[in-house]
PDB file of all heavy atoms in Angstrom:
ATOM      1  N   GLU A  16       0.837  -1.201   0.000  1.00 89.00           N
ATOM      2  CA  GLU A  16       0.000   0.000   0.000  1.00 89.00           C
ATOM      3  C   GLU A  16       0.877   1.259   0.000  1.00 89.00           C
ATOM      4  O   GLU A  16       1.926   1.297   0.636  1.00 89.00           O
ATOM      5  CB  GLU A  16      -0.911   0.001   1.229  1.00 89.00           C
ATOM      6  CG  GLU A  16      -1.955   1.108   1.215  1.00 89.00           C
ATOM      7  CD  GLU A  16      -2.888   1.060   2.408  1.00 89.00           C
ATOM      8  OE1 GLU A  16      -2.599   0.277   3.353  1.00 89.00           O
ATOM      9  OE2 GLU A  16      -3.898   1.788   2.412  1.00 89.00           O
ATOM     10  N   TYR A  17       0.437   2.256  -0.734  1.00 90.00           N
ATOM     11  CA  TYR A  17       1.068   3.569  -0.843  1.00 90.00           C
ATOM     12  C   TYR A  17       2.280   3.614  -1.774  1.00 90.00           C
ATOM     13  O   TYR A  17       2.860   4.681  -1.976  1.00 90.00           O
ATOM     14  CB  TYR A  17       1.495   4.113   0.533  1.00 90.00           C
ATOM     15  CG  TYR A  17       0.350   4.255   1.495  1.00 90.00           C
ATOM     16  CD1 TYR A  17       0.349   3.555   2.701  1.00 90.00           C
ATOM     17  CD2 TYR A  17      -0.741   5.072   1.216  1.00 90.00           C
ATOM     18  CE1 TYR A  17      -0.699   3.667   3.606  1.00 90.00           C
ATOM     19  CE2 TYR A  17      -1.813   5.198   2.099  1.00 90.00           C
ATOM     20  CZ  TYR A  17      -1.784   4.492   3.293  1.00 90.00           C
ATOM     21  OH  TYR A  17      -2.817   4.608   4.167  1.00 90.00           O
ATOM     22  N   VAL A  18       2.686   2.471  -2.336  1.00 92.00           N
ATOM     23  CA  VAL A  18       3.790   2.492  -3.298  1.00 92.00           C
ATOM     24  C   VAL A  18       3.238   2.839  -4.678  1.00 92.00           C
ATOM     25  O   VAL A  18       2.373   2.131  -5.205  1.00 92.00           O
ATOM     26  CB  VAL A  18       4.527   1.143  -3.346  1.00 92.00           C
ATOM     27  CG1 VAL A  18       5.595   1.166  -4.430  1.00 92.00           C
ATOM     28  CG2 VAL A  18       5.160   0.845  -1.986  1.00 92.00           C
ATOM     29  N   LEU A  19       3.716   3.920  -5.248  1.00 90.00           N
ATOM     30  CA  LEU A  19       3.222   4.376  -6.546  1.00 90.00           C
ATOM     31  C   LEU A  19       4.064   3.874  -7.703  1.00 90.00           C
ATOM     32  O   LEU A  19       3.556   3.684  -8.815  1.00 90.00           O
ATOM     33  CB  LEU A  19       3.193   5.917  -6.587  1.00 90.00           C
ATOM     34  CG  LEU A  19       2.343   6.618  -5.523  1.00 90.00           C
ATOM     35  CD1 LEU A  19       2.477   8.131  -5.670  1.00 90.00           C
ATOM     36  CD2 LEU A  19       0.891   6.194  -5.634  1.00 90.00           C
ATOM     37  N   GLN A  20       5.362   3.654  -7.437  1.00 90.00           N
ATOM     38  CA  GLN A  20       6.240   3.351  -8.562  1.00 90.00           C
ATOM     39  C   GLN A  20       7.541   2.732  -8.058  1.00 90.00           C
ATOM     40  O   GLN A  20       8.001   3.003  -6.948  1.00 90.00           O
ATOM     41  CB  GLN A  20       6.546   4.665  -9.306  1.00 90.00           C
ATOM     42  CG  GLN A  20       7.222   4.523 -10.650  1.00 90.00           C
ATOM     43  CD  GLN A  20       7.498   5.894 -11.248  1.00 90.00           C
ATOM     44  OE1 GLN A  20       8.602   6.425 -11.120  1.00 90.00           O
ATOM     45  NE2 GLN A  20       6.500   6.492 -11.885  1.00 90.00           N
ATOM     46  N   MET A  21       8.119   1.873  -8.906  1.00 93.00           N
ATOM     47  CA  MET A  21       9.453   1.329  -8.665  1.00 93.00           C
ATOM     48  C   MET A  21      10.223   1.416  -9.978  1.00 93.00           C
ATOM     49  O   MET A  21       9.703   1.063 -11.033  1.00 93.00           O
ATOM     50  CB  MET A  21       9.368  -0.133  -8.200  1.00 93.00           C
ATOM     51  CG  MET A  21      10.714  -0.846  -8.169  1.00 93.00           C
ATOM     52  SD  MET A  21      10.565  -2.581  -7.671  1.00 93.00           S
ATOM     53  CE  MET A  21      12.074  -3.256  -8.387  1.00 93.00           C
ATOM     54  N   HIS A  22      11.451   1.906  -9.936  1.00 92.00           N
ATOM     55  CA  HIS A  22      12.218   2.050 -11.168  1.00 92.00           C
ATOM     56  C   HIS A  22      13.726   2.045 -10.867  1.00 92.00           C
ATOM     57  O   HIS A  22      14.145   2.089  -9.714  1.00 92.00           O
ATOM     58  CB  HIS A  22      11.831   3.345 -11.896  1.00 92.00           C
ATOM     59  CG  HIS A  22      12.043   4.581 -11.078  1.00 92.00           C
ATOM     60  ND1 HIS A  22      11.018   5.214 -10.415  1.00 92.00           N
ATOM     61  CD2 HIS A  22      13.157   5.307 -10.803  1.00 92.00           C
ATOM     62  CE1 HIS A  22      11.473   6.272  -9.769  1.00 92.00           C
ATOM     63  NE2 HIS A  22      12.778   6.344  -9.983  1.00 92.00           N
ATOM     64  N   GLY A  23      14.499   2.011 -11.952  1.00 91.00           N
ATOM     65  CA  GLY A  23      15.958   2.068 -11.824  1.00 91.00           C
ATOM     66  C   GLY A  23      16.564   0.812 -11.206  1.00 91.00           C
ATOM     67  O   GLY A  23      17.621   0.880 -10.559  1.00 91.00           O
ATOM     68  N   PHE A  24      15.941  -0.343 -11.429  1.00 94.00           N
ATOM     69  CA  PHE A  24      16.438  -1.584 -10.816  1.00 94.00           C
ATOM     70  C   PHE A  24      17.698  -2.075 -11.518  1.00 94.00           C
ATOM     71  O   PHE A  24      17.773  -2.114 -12.747  1.00 94.00           O
ATOM     72  CB  PHE A  24      15.369  -2.673 -10.888  1.00 94.00           C
ATOM     73  CG  PHE A  24      15.785  -3.963 -10.228  1.00 94.00           C
ATOM     74  CD1 PHE A  24      15.423  -4.221  -8.921  1.00 94.00           C
ATOM     75  CD2 PHE A  24      16.537  -4.913 -10.913  1.00 94.00           C
ATOM     76  CE1 PHE A  24      15.803  -5.411  -8.301  1.00 94.00           C
ATOM     77  CE2 PHE A  24      16.924  -6.096 -10.315  1.00 94.00           C
ATOM     78  CZ  PHE A  24      16.559  -6.346  -8.988  1.00 94.00           C
ATOM     79  N   TYR A  25      18.691  -2.454 -10.698  1.00 95.00           N
ATOM     80  CA  TYR A  25      19.886  -3.111 -11.252  1.00 95.00           C
ATOM     81  C   TYR A  25      20.477  -4.046 -10.207  1.00 95.00           C
ATOM     82  O   TYR A  25      20.648  -3.659  -9.042  1.00 95.00           O
ATOM     83  CB  TYR A  25      20.936  -2.089 -11.668  1.00 95.00           C
ATOM     84  CG  TYR A  25      22.050  -2.717 -12.492  1.00 95.00           C
ATOM     85  CD1 TYR A  25      21.871  -2.972 -13.847  1.00 95.00           C
ATOM     86  CD2 TYR A  25      23.252  -3.094 -11.905  1.00 95.00           C
ATOM     87  CE1 TYR A  25      22.861  -3.568 -14.606  1.00 95.00           C
ATOM     88  CE2 TYR A  25      24.252  -3.694 -12.641  1.00 95.00           C
ATOM     89  CZ  TYR A  25      24.051  -3.929 -13.997  1.00 95.00           C
ATOM     90  OH  TYR A  25      25.031  -4.533 -14.754  1.00 95.00           O
ATOM     91  N   LEU A  26      20.771  -5.276 -10.641  1.00 95.00           N
ATOM     92  CA  LEU A  26      21.397  -6.262  -9.780  1.00 95.00           C
ATOM     93  C   LEU A  26      22.847  -6.428 -10.204  1.00 95.00           C
ATOM     94  O   LEU A  26      23.123  -6.778 -11.357  1.00 95.00           O
ATOM     95  CB  LEU A  26      20.646  -7.591  -9.854  1.00 95.00           C
ATOM     96  CG  LEU A  26      21.093  -8.677  -8.870  1.00 95.00           C
ATOM     97  CD1 LEU A  26      19.918  -9.566  -8.474  1.00 95.00           C
ATOM     98  CD2 LEU A  26      22.202  -9.548  -9.476  1.00 95.00           C
ATOM     99  N   ASP A  27      23.757  -6.154  -9.267  1.00 94.00           N
ATOM    100  CA  ASP A  27      25.199  -6.241  -9.538  1.00 94.00           C
ATOM    101  C   ASP A  27      25.760  -7.450  -8.800  1.00 94.00           C
ATOM    102  O   ASP A  27      25.881  -7.447  -7.574  1.00 94.00           O
ATOM    103  CB  ASP A  27      25.890  -4.957  -9.066  1.00 94.00           C
ATOM    104  CG  ASP A  27      27.334  -4.873  -9.547  1.00 94.00           C
ATOM    105  OD1 ASP A  27      27.987  -5.930  -9.657  1.00 94.00           O
ATOM    106  OD2 ASP A  27      27.790  -3.747  -9.805  1.00 94.00           O
ATOM    107  N   LYS A  28      26.088  -8.523  -9.562  1.00 92.00           N
ATOM    108  CA  LYS A  28      26.566  -9.757  -8.939  1.00 92.00           C
ATOM    109  C   LYS A  28      28.000  -9.629  -8.444  1.00 92.00           C
ATOM    110  O   LYS A  28      28.398 -10.347  -7.519  1.00 92.00           O
ATOM    111  CB  LYS A  28      26.454 -10.914  -9.927  1.00 92.00           C
ATOM    112  CG  LYS A  28      25.008 -11.357 -10.153  1.00 92.00           C
ATOM    113  CD  LYS A  28      24.931 -12.614 -11.002  1.00 92.00           C
ATOM    114  CE  LYS A  28      23.493 -13.111 -11.097  1.00 92.00           C
ATOM    115  NZ  LYS A  28      23.378 -14.340 -11.933  1.00 92.00           N
ATOM    116  N   GLU A  29      28.781  -8.763  -9.056  1.00 91.00           N
ATOM    117  CA  GLU A  29      30.165  -8.589  -8.594  1.00 91.00           C
ATOM    118  C   GLU A  29      30.194  -7.967  -7.203  1.00 91.00           C
ATOM    119  O   GLU A  29      30.957  -8.381  -6.333  1.00 91.00           O
ATOM    120  CB  GLU A  29      30.942  -7.705  -9.578  1.00 91.00           C
ATOM    121  CG  GLU A  29      31.244  -8.383 -10.906  1.00 91.00           C
ATOM    122  CD  GLU A  29      32.146  -7.518 -11.780  1.00 91.00           C
ATOM    123  OE1 GLU A  29      32.608  -6.471 -11.289  1.00 91.00           O
ATOM    124  OE2 GLU A  29      32.393  -7.912 -12.934  1.00 91.00           O
ATOM    125  N   GLU A  30      29.342  -6.943  -6.988  1.00 92.00           N
ATOM    126  CA  GLU A  30      29.293  -6.282  -5.687  1.00 92.00           C
ATOM    127  C   GLU A  30      28.218  -6.882  -4.789  1.00 92.00           C
ATOM    128  O   GLU A  30      28.066  -6.458  -3.636  1.00 92.00           O
ATOM    129  CB  GLU A  30      29.029  -4.785  -5.870  1.00 92.00           C
ATOM    130  CG  GLU A  30      30.149  -4.061  -6.608  1.00 92.00           C
ATOM    131  CD  GLU A  30      29.931  -2.557  -6.636  1.00 92.00           C
ATOM    132  OE1 GLU A  30      28.908  -2.088  -6.085  1.00 92.00           O
ATOM    133  OE2 GLU A  30      30.784  -1.850  -7.194  1.00 92.00           O
ATOM    134  N   MET A  31      27.473  -7.855  -5.349  1.00 95.00           N
ATOM    135  CA  MET A  31      26.372  -8.487  -4.622  1.00 95.00           C
ATOM    136  C   MET A  31      25.422  -7.434  -4.045  1.00 95.00           C
ATOM    137  O   MET A  31      25.118  -7.393  -2.842  1.00 95.00           O
ATOM    138  CB  MET A  31      26.908  -9.388  -3.503  1.00 95.00           C
ATOM    139  CG  MET A  31      27.692 -10.585  -3.999  1.00 95.00           C
ATOM    140  SD  MET A  31      26.649 -11.672  -5.045  1.00 95.00           S
ATOM    141  CE  MET A  31      25.529 -12.347  -3.829  1.00 95.00           C
ATOM    142  N   SER A  32      24.941  -6.592  -4.935  1.00 95.00           N
ATOM    143  CA  SER A  32      24.051  -5.506  -4.502  1.00 95.00           C
ATOM    144  C   SER A  32      22.826  -5.427  -5.412  1.00 95.00           C
ATOM    145  O   SER A  32      22.875  -5.810  -6.583  1.00 95.00           O
ATOM    146  CB  SER A  32      24.787  -4.165  -4.510  1.00 95.00           C
ATOM    147  OG  SER A  32      25.135  -3.784  -5.835  1.00 95.00           O
ATOM    148  N   ILE A  33      21.761  -4.927  -4.836  1.00 95.00           N
ATOM    149  CA  ILE A  33      20.530  -4.636  -5.575  1.00 95.00           C
ATOM    150  C   ILE A  33      20.192  -3.169  -5.320  1.00 95.00           C
ATOM    151  O   ILE A  33      20.135  -2.724  -4.170  1.00 95.00           O
ATOM    152  CB  ILE A  33      19.356  -5.521  -5.101  1.00 95.00           C
ATOM    153  CG1 ILE A  33      19.603  -6.984  -5.457  1.00 95.00           C
ATOM    154  CG2 ILE A  33      18.038  -5.035  -5.710  1.00 95.00           C
ATOM    155  CD1 ILE A  33      18.545  -7.928  -4.899  1.00 95.00           C
ATOM    156  N   ARG A  34      19.980  -2.432  -6.404  1.00 94.00           N
ATOM    157  CA  ARG A  34      19.642  -1.014  -6.226  1.00 94.00           C
ATOM    158  C   ARG A  34      18.424  -0.650  -7.085  1.00 94.00           C
ATOM    159  O   ARG A  34      18.273  -1.115  -8.198  1.00 94.00           O
ATOM    160  CB  ARG A  34      20.834  -0.123  -6.587  1.00 94.00           C
ATOM    161  CG  ARG A  34      21.347  -0.262  -8.023  1.00 94.00           C
ATOM    162  CD  ARG A  34      22.523   0.679  -8.252  1.00 94.00           C
ATOM    163  NE  ARG A  34      22.979   0.673  -9.635  1.00 94.00           N
ATOM    164  CZ  ARG A  34      24.010  -0.051 -10.083  1.00 94.00           C
ATOM    165  NH1 ARG A  34      24.675  -0.847  -9.236  1.00 94.00           N
ATOM    166  NH2 ARG A  34      24.369   0.013 -11.352  1.00 94.00           N
ATOM    167  N   PHE A  35      17.576   0.182  -6.512  1.00 94.00           N
ATOM    168  CA  PHE A  35      16.416   0.709  -7.238  1.00 94.00           C
ATOM    169  C   PHE A  35      15.786   1.829  -6.416  1.00 94.00           C
ATOM    170  O   PHE A  35      16.133   2.039  -5.236  1.00 94.00           O
ATOM    171  CB  PHE A  35      15.385  -0.399  -7.532  1.00 94.00           C
ATOM    172  CG  PHE A  35      14.817  -1.059  -6.316  1.00 94.00           C
ATOM    173  CD1 PHE A  35      13.684  -0.547  -5.677  1.00 94.00           C
ATOM    174  CD2 PHE A  35      15.398  -2.208  -5.795  1.00 94.00           C
ATOM    175  CE1 PHE A  35      13.155  -1.167  -4.563  1.00 94.00           C
ATOM    176  CE2 PHE A  35      14.869  -2.839  -4.676  1.00 94.00           C
ATOM    177  CZ  PHE A  35      13.742  -2.307  -4.058  1.00 94.00           C
ATOM    178  N   ASP A  36      14.856   2.549  -7.025  1.00 93.00           N
ATOM    179  CA  ASP A  36      14.141   3.646  -6.360  1.00 93.00           C
ATOM    180  C   ASP A  36      12.664   3.279  -6.230  1.00 93.00           C
ATOM    181  O   ASP A  36      12.113   2.583  -7.091  1.00 93.00           O
ATOM    182  CB  ASP A  36      14.241   4.952  -7.161  1.00 93.00           C
ATOM    183  CG  ASP A  36      15.668   5.471  -7.255  1.00 93.00           C
ATOM    184  OD1 ASP A  36      16.555   4.901  -6.586  1.00 93.00           O
ATOM    185  OD2 ASP A  36      15.892   6.439  -8.006  1.00 93.00           O
ATOM    186  N   ILE A  37      12.022   3.757  -5.178  1.00 93.00           N
ATOM    187  CA  ILE A  37      10.581   3.601  -5.038  1.00 93.00           C
ATOM    188  C   ILE A  37       9.955   4.971  -4.753  1.00 93.00           C
ATOM    189  O   ILE A  37      10.568   5.830  -4.124  1.00 93.00           O
ATOM    190  CB  ILE A  37      10.197   2.609  -3.915  1.00 93.00           C
ATOM    191  CG1 ILE A  37      10.786   3.052  -2.578  1.00 93.00           C
ATOM    192  CG2 ILE A  37      10.601   1.207  -4.269  1.00 93.00           C
ATOM    193  CD1 ILE A  37      10.292   2.246  -1.396  1.00 93.00           C
ATOM    194  N   VAL A  38       8.744   5.149  -5.251  1.00 92.00           N
ATOM    195  CA  VAL A  38       7.985   6.381  -4.999  1.00 92.00           C
ATOM    196  C   VAL A  38       6.842   6.021  -4.060  1.00 92.00           C
ATOM    197  O   VAL A  38       6.000   5.195  -4.380  1.00 92.00           O
ATOM    198  CB  VAL A  38       7.431   6.986  -6.306  1.00 92.00           C
ATOM    199  CG1 VAL A  38       6.609   8.242  -5.993  1.00 92.00           C
ATOM    200  CG2 VAL A  38       8.572   7.322  -7.265  1.00 92.00           C
ATOM    201  N   ILE A  39       6.828   6.644  -2.886  1.00 91.00           N
ATOM    202  CA  ILE A  39       5.813   6.384  -1.876  1.00 91.00           C
ATOM    203  C   ILE A  39       4.888   7.588  -1.777  1.00 91.00           C
ATOM    204  O   ILE A  39       5.337   8.729  -1.696  1.00 91.00           O
ATOM    205  CB  ILE A  39       6.453   6.086  -0.507  1.00 91.00           C
ATOM    206  CG1 ILE A  39       7.359   4.851  -0.603  1.00 91.00           C
ATOM    207  CG2 ILE A  39       5.385   5.875   0.568  1.00 91.00           C
ATOM    208  CD1 ILE A  39       8.128   4.557   0.665  1.00 91.00           C
ATOM    209  N   SER A  40       3.599   7.321  -1.778  1.00 87.00           N
ATOM    210  CA  SER A  40       2.601   8.386  -1.746  1.00 87.00           C
ATOM    211  C   SER A  40       2.687   9.202  -0.460  1.00 87.00           C
ATOM    212  O   SER A  40       2.978   8.689   0.616  1.00 87.00           O
ATOM    213  CB  SER A  40       1.197   7.780  -1.873  1.00 87.00           C
ATOM    214  OG  SER A  40       0.213   8.763  -1.639  1.00 87.00           O
ATOM    215  N   PHE A  41       2.404  10.504  -0.579  1.00 85.00           N
ATOM    216  CA  PHE A  41       2.340  11.366   0.594  1.00 85.00           C
ATOM    217  C   PHE A  41       1.098  11.078   1.433  1.00 85.00           C
ATOM    218  O   PHE A  41       0.948  11.606   2.535  1.00 85.00           O
ATOM    219  CB  PHE A  41       2.354  12.836   0.169  1.00 85.00           C
ATOM    220  CG  PHE A  41       3.705  13.307  -0.300  1.00 85.00           C
ATOM    221  CD1 PHE A  41       3.959  13.522  -1.645  1.00 85.00           C
ATOM    222  CD2 PHE A  41       4.721  13.528   0.610  1.00 85.00           C
ATOM    223  CE1 PHE A  41       5.201  13.955  -2.078  1.00 85.00           C
ATOM    224  CE2 PHE A  41       5.978  13.959   0.195  1.00 85.00           C
ATOM    225  CZ  PHE A  41       6.220  14.171  -1.155  1.00 85.00           C
ATOM    226  N   ASP A  42       0.205  10.228   0.916  1.00 86.00           N
ATOM    227  CA  ASP A  42      -0.974   9.834   1.686  1.00 86.00           C
ATOM    228  C   ASP A  42      -0.594   8.928   2.857  1.00 86.00           C
ATOM    229  O   ASP A  42      -1.361   8.786   3.814  1.00 86.00           O
ATOM    230  CB  ASP A  42      -1.985   9.110   0.792  1.00 86.00           C
ATOM    231  CG  ASP A  42      -2.693  10.057  -0.159  1.00 86.00           C
ATOM    232  OD1 ASP A  42      -2.647  11.276   0.090  1.00 86.00           O
ATOM    233  OD2 ASP A  42      -3.272   9.583  -1.146  1.00 86.00           O
ATOM    234  N   ALA A  43       0.569   8.295   2.769  1.00 89.00           N
ATOM    235  CA  ALA A  43       1.020   7.423   3.851  1.00 89.00           C
ATOM    236  C   ALA A  43       1.279   8.255   5.110  1.00 89.00           C
ATOM    237  O   ALA A  43       1.913   9.308   5.045  1.00 89.00           O
ATOM    238  CB  ALA A  43       2.278   6.673   3.442  1.00 89.00           C
ATOM    239  N   LYS A  44       0.790   7.777   6.248  1.00 89.00           N
ATOM    240  CA  LYS A  44       0.989   8.513   7.507  1.00 89.00           C
ATOM    241  C   LYS A  44       2.471   8.603   7.851  1.00 89.00           C
ATOM    242  O   LYS A  44       2.940   9.606   8.390  1.00 89.00           O
ATOM    243  CB  LYS A  44       0.216   7.834   8.632  1.00 89.00           C
ATOM    244  CG  LYS A  44      -1.296   7.929   8.499  1.00 89.00           C
ATOM    245  CD  LYS A  44      -1.995   7.284   9.693  1.00 89.00           C
ATOM    246  CE  LYS A  44      -3.504   7.409   9.567  1.00 89.00           C
ATOM    247  NZ  LYS A  44      -4.214   6.789  10.716  1.00 89.00           N
ATOM    248  N   ASP A  45       3.207   7.539   7.548  1.00 92.00           N
ATOM    249  CA  ASP A  45       4.639   7.506   7.832  1.00 92.00           C
ATOM    250  C   ASP A  45       5.347   6.863   6.639  1.00 92.00           C
ATOM    251  O   ASP A  45       5.415   5.640   6.538  1.00 92.00           O
ATOM    252  CB  ASP A  45       4.906   6.714   9.117  1.00 92.00           C
ATOM    253  CG  ASP A  45       6.362   6.809   9.580  1.00 92.00           C
ATOM    254  OD1 ASP A  45       7.219   7.208   8.759  1.00 92.00           O
ATOM    255  OD2 ASP A  45       6.626   6.484  10.746  1.00 92.00           O
ATOM    256  N   ARG A  46       5.852   7.700   5.737  1.00 90.00           N
ATOM    257  CA  ARG A  46       6.524   7.168   4.543  1.00 90.00           C
ATOM    258  C   ARG A  46       7.763   6.381   4.931  1.00 90.00           C
ATOM    259  O   ARG A  46       8.127   5.401   4.283  1.00 90.00           O
ATOM    260  CB  ARG A  46       6.879   8.318   3.598  1.00 90.00           C
ATOM    261  CG  ARG A  46       5.672   9.079   3.078  1.00 90.00           C
ATOM    262  CD  ARG A  46       6.105  10.296   2.272  1.00 90.00           C
ATOM    263  NE  ARG A  46       6.615   9.926   0.973  1.00 90.00           N
ATOM    264  CZ  ARG A  46       7.576  10.592   0.331  1.00 90.00           C
ATOM    265  NH1 ARG A  46       8.149  11.643   0.896  1.00 90.00           N
ATOM    266  NH2 ARG A  46       7.971  10.212  -0.859  1.00 90.00           N
ATOM    267  N   GLY A  47       8.426   6.825   5.994  1.00 91.00           N
ATOM    268  CA  GLY A  47       9.622   6.117   6.450  1.00 91.00           C
ATOM    269  C   GLY A  47       9.312   4.705   6.902  1.00 91.00           C
ATOM    270  O   GLY A  47      10.097   3.778   6.658  1.00 91.00           O
ATOM    271  N   ALA A  48       8.154   4.540   7.546  1.00 93.00           N
ATOM    272  CA  ALA A  48       7.759   3.206   8.016  1.00 93.00           C
ATOM    273  C   ALA A  48       7.464   2.290   6.837  1.00 93.00           C
ATOM    274  O   ALA A  48       7.815   1.097   6.858  1.00 93.00           O
ATOM    275  CB  ALA A  48       6.535   3.321   8.927  1.00 93.00           C
ATOM    276  N   VAL A  49       6.822   2.828   5.803  1.00 93.00           N
ATOM    277  CA  VAL A  49       6.538   2.042   4.597  1.00 93.00           C
ATOM    278  C   VAL A  49       7.847   1.614   3.938  1.00 93.00           C
ATOM    279  O   VAL A  49       8.026   0.459   3.532  1.00 93.00           O
ATOM    280  CB  VAL A  49       5.681   2.856   3.600  1.00 93.00           C
ATOM    281  CG1 VAL A  49       5.484   2.079   2.301  1.00 93.00           C
ATOM    282  CG2 VAL A  49       4.332   3.213   4.211  1.00 93.00           C
ATOM    283  N   TYR A  50       8.778   2.571   3.867  1.00 93.00           N
ATOM    284  CA  TYR A  50      10.099   2.293   3.276  1.00 93.00           C
ATOM    285  C   TYR A  50      10.809   1.172   4.047  1.00 93.00           C
ATOM    286  O   TYR A  50      11.333   0.227   3.450  1.00 93.00           O
ATOM    287  CB  TYR A  50      10.939   3.575   3.299  1.00 93.00           C
ATOM    288  CG  TYR A  50      12.388   3.378   2.925  1.00 93.00           C
ATOM    289  CD1 TYR A  50      12.814   3.497   1.610  1.00 93.00           C
ATOM    290  CD2 TYR A  50      13.344   3.061   3.891  1.00 93.00           C
ATOM    291  CE1 TYR A  50      14.145   3.304   1.266  1.00 93.00           C
ATOM    292  CE2 TYR A  50      14.674   2.865   3.571  1.00 93.00           C
ATOM    293  CZ  TYR A  50      15.071   2.987   2.253  1.00 93.00           C
ATOM    294  OH  TYR A  50      16.384   2.807   1.908  1.00 93.00           O
ATOM    295  N   GLN A  51      10.806   1.263   5.359  1.00 94.00           N
ATOM    296  CA  GLN A  51      11.520   0.276   6.175  1.00 94.00           C
ATOM    297  C   GLN A  51      10.894  -1.102   6.056  1.00 94.00           C
ATOM    298  O   GLN A  51      11.611  -2.115   6.017  1.00 94.00           O
ATOM    299  CB  GLN A  51      11.534   0.724   7.639  1.00 94.00           C
ATOM    300  CG  GLN A  51      12.466  -0.086   8.520  1.00 94.00           C
ATOM    301  CD  GLN A  51      13.902  -0.034   8.038  1.00 94.00           C
ATOM    302  OE1 GLN A  51      14.453   1.032   7.792  1.00 94.00           O
ATOM    303  NE2 GLN A  51      14.518  -1.220   7.885  1.00 94.00           N
ATOM    304  N   ALA A  52       9.572  -1.147   5.970  1.00 94.00           N
ATOM    305  CA  ALA A  52       8.886  -2.432   5.832  1.00 94.00           C
ATOM    306  C   ALA A  52       9.277  -3.126   4.529  1.00 94.00           C
ATOM    307  O   ALA A  52       9.497  -4.347   4.500  1.00 94.00           O
ATOM    308  CB  ALA A  52       7.377  -2.227   5.898  1.00 94.00           C
TER     309      ALA A  52
END
């Protein structure tokens, strides 16, 4: 809930990392809590 978009995904096996961006709606009471979950 409250996630509007996900983009910029890239998986780097050499560094063993996953990176991407998410857009969380301002309707969320606590955007930080949604992000952490």
Side-chain angles (χ1 to χ4, degrees):
E16 188 178 10
Y17 301 120
V18 176
L19 302 177
Q20 191 182 96
M21 170 182 157
H22 59 260
F24 182 95
Y25 192 80
L26 187 149
D27 191 327
K28 287 187 174 180
E29 289 186 6
E30 296 186 0
M31 295 299 290
S32 66
I33 293 174
R34 59 180 185 263
F35 61 88
D36 296 353
I37 57 172
V38 178
I39 300 175
S40 171
F41 286 106
D42 287 343
K44 292 183 179 180
D45 188 343
R46 298 174 74 212
V49 175
Y50 171 91
Q51 191 59 51

